[in-house]
Amino acid sequence: MQSRREREVRPRAGWMVMGKGAGGPSALEVGKILVVFLCLFPSVSLQCKILKCNSEFWASTSSSGPEEEFCTALRAYNNCVRRTARTCRGDLAYHSAQHGIEDLMSQNNCSKEGPTTQPRARTPPPPPQLQPDSQERSDGPEQCHYERSLHRQSSPPNYTHCGFFGDPHLRTFSDDFQTCKVEGAWPLVHNKYLSVQVTNTPVVPGSSATATSKLTIIFKNFQECVDQKMYHAETDELPAAFADGSKNGGDRHGANTLRIVEKVPGQQVEIHARYIGTTIVVRQVGRYLTFAVRMPEEVVNSVEDRDNQDLYLCLHGCPANQRIDFRTFRARAVEGHGLSRTGSPPHGFTYKAAMAKCKERLPVEDLYFQSCVFDLLSSGDVNFTMAAYYAFEDVKMLHSNKDKYHIYEKDAFGSNAAPRGSDVFSLVLLNFLAVLFIYSPLPTSSSLC
């Protein structure tokens, strides 16, 4: 018979040490998860040493022991994580570990002061039998339903939308539309409740055209509702379950307020997180992934580290040095009858041919249509037509304001210039007044009388 502490501790120690699970993972399962992280975060394996901290802590707590020994291991783990702060600051794994340590410190009444000598690693015991998914469980307490938990007198929540698709194009929570480079791993969302990170890889060798080949979502444990869960998808692998094989929020009372629904096998998955009023749609279109989310504004703004929020694309957009003005690209394409971003002929598409192809699915010439044309010219991959089409279908399903479904070029570039709009207006007004002054006839002496 396992002790109560052993049953509670080992699942957290298995990965990012957050949340309660139905049972402790085996060494093989932990190994698989670590391999996933090495693939997801190549910078982790080369510079950031957070995985080394995780594996040492898991090894030292893989079997039961005195509470003092566990707290000693936890303090050692905390020190190890703190030493990685400089190289791991932008890593999803690093921030998740930080929260996990605080959670375990509190739950096990561990003091932050005390010995930190790492206990000798032990041979892990046989894995306990995993309990079946709690799919038939009731929906749980009221706080596990976002809208039900709001005060009756309060106004209805304002839902926002973010989408990321194609080569790649970003629609932020504030409805800005951008085309970006962003090769490698980039965070889309990071708040108190969940984190989303994508990895973008080159579409055509030698070109700056990229698209999403990997996506990871971490749902953090929340009150009585859900355990921490990780969802990972990559090209040709769009699972209908979380990384631990479950399809809901674990073993808590509100577990069914977090569920995965497979809409089209291998092509579309929806994740419903009702405890935070959030719906996520992940698709594979061709060889690449698309992401769309509907989230209450309150959840969007529940940030933990405001100093680093500029890093998260759905909130503030792509960094200025990562943005592409496809108006300039389009002008070059028209002049050169459809050149790719590298200046070489496109893969079978002229500008007119790309427009005709995109018109088949996107009859309105908004920015989804323009992004489709851009992607065909820069990559030659006809699947990007469907990526833009499905991205707009997700807007219609997830956006709360039907008047904002379409975004047009004048709206997008106007909003990007908004911070300096008043300065520009003042300058134009001054110039206009100066012109009036110069060309206005001088008053005569008779007119002054």
Side-chain angles (χ1 to χ4, degrees), residues 197-219:
Q197 182 159 309
V198 293
T199 300
N200 304 312
T201 54
V203 175
V204 180
S207 169
S208 59
T210 66
T212 302
S213 58
K214 296 178 183 178
L215 179 143
T216 300
I217 306 170
I218 296 176
F219 295 90

Side-chain angles (χ1 to χ4, degrees), residues 246-382:
S246 64
K247 293 189 176 184
N248 70 353
D251 206 39
R252 302 191 186 185
H253 293 300
N256 278 339
T257 58
L258 174 62
R259 299 194 67 173
I260 291 183
V261 179
E262 186 177 51
K263 291 295 185 178
V264 182
Q267 296 181 35
Q268 182 184 350
V269 165
E270 292 182 8
I271 304 177
H272 301 275
R274 283 183 289 171
Y275 66 101
I276 51 174
T278 296
T279 300
I280 294 174
V281 179
V282 182
R283 299 177 186 266
Q284 177 167 333
V285 185
R287 296 181 56 246
Y288 301 102
L289 305 176
T290 70
F291 168 84
V293 62
R294 169 187 167 97
M295 184 180 292
E297 197 171 55
E298 179 188 13
V299 176
V300 169
N301 294 321
S302 63
V303 296
E304 295 180 309
D305 186 357
R306 292 190 178 272
D307 293 337
N308 288 326
Q309 285 305 307
D310 285 347
L311 295 173
Y312 305 115
L313 306 188
C314 277
L315 193 59
H316 289 300
C318 299
N321 64 353
Q322 293 291 322
R323 297 181 191 178
I324 298 171
D325 183 351
F326 66 69
R327 293 174 302 179
T328 303
F329 173 80
R330 182 180 58 204
R332 291 205 329 264
V334 172
E335 292 173 4
H337 304 290
L339 294 179
S340 70
R341 241 186 276 178
T342 59
S344 59
H347 302 265
F349 283 100
T350 63
Y351 181 69
K352 287 185 177 180
M355 288 189 66
K357 187 64 180 175
C358 293
K359 274 281 187 180
E360 294 175 5
R361 289 286 182 174
L362 299 159
V364 179
E365 292 190 18
D366 60 1
L367 285 178
Y368 289 91
F369 171 84
Q370 300 291 354
S371 68
C372 172
V373 174
F374 177 89
D375 290 352
L376 291 184
L377 292 175
S378 62
S379 70
D381 187 345
V382 71

Side-chain angles (χ1 to χ4, degrees), residues 15 32-45 51 90-93 184-187 195-201 212-218 230-235 243 289:
W15 186 79
K32 289 179 179 177
I33 293 173
L34 294 180
V35 168
V36 167
F37 263 98
L38 285 171
C39 296
L40 276 174
F41 313 115
S43 60
V44 175
S45 58
L51 292 183
D91 256 9
L92 205 59
W186 289 80
S195 298
V196 182
Q197 182 159 309
V198 293
T199 300
N200 304 312
T201 54
T212 302
S213 58
K214 296 178 183 178
L215 179 143
T216 300
I217 306 170
I218 296 176
M230 181 181 79
Y231 180 79
H232 175 68
E234 55 186 273
T235 299
L289 305 176

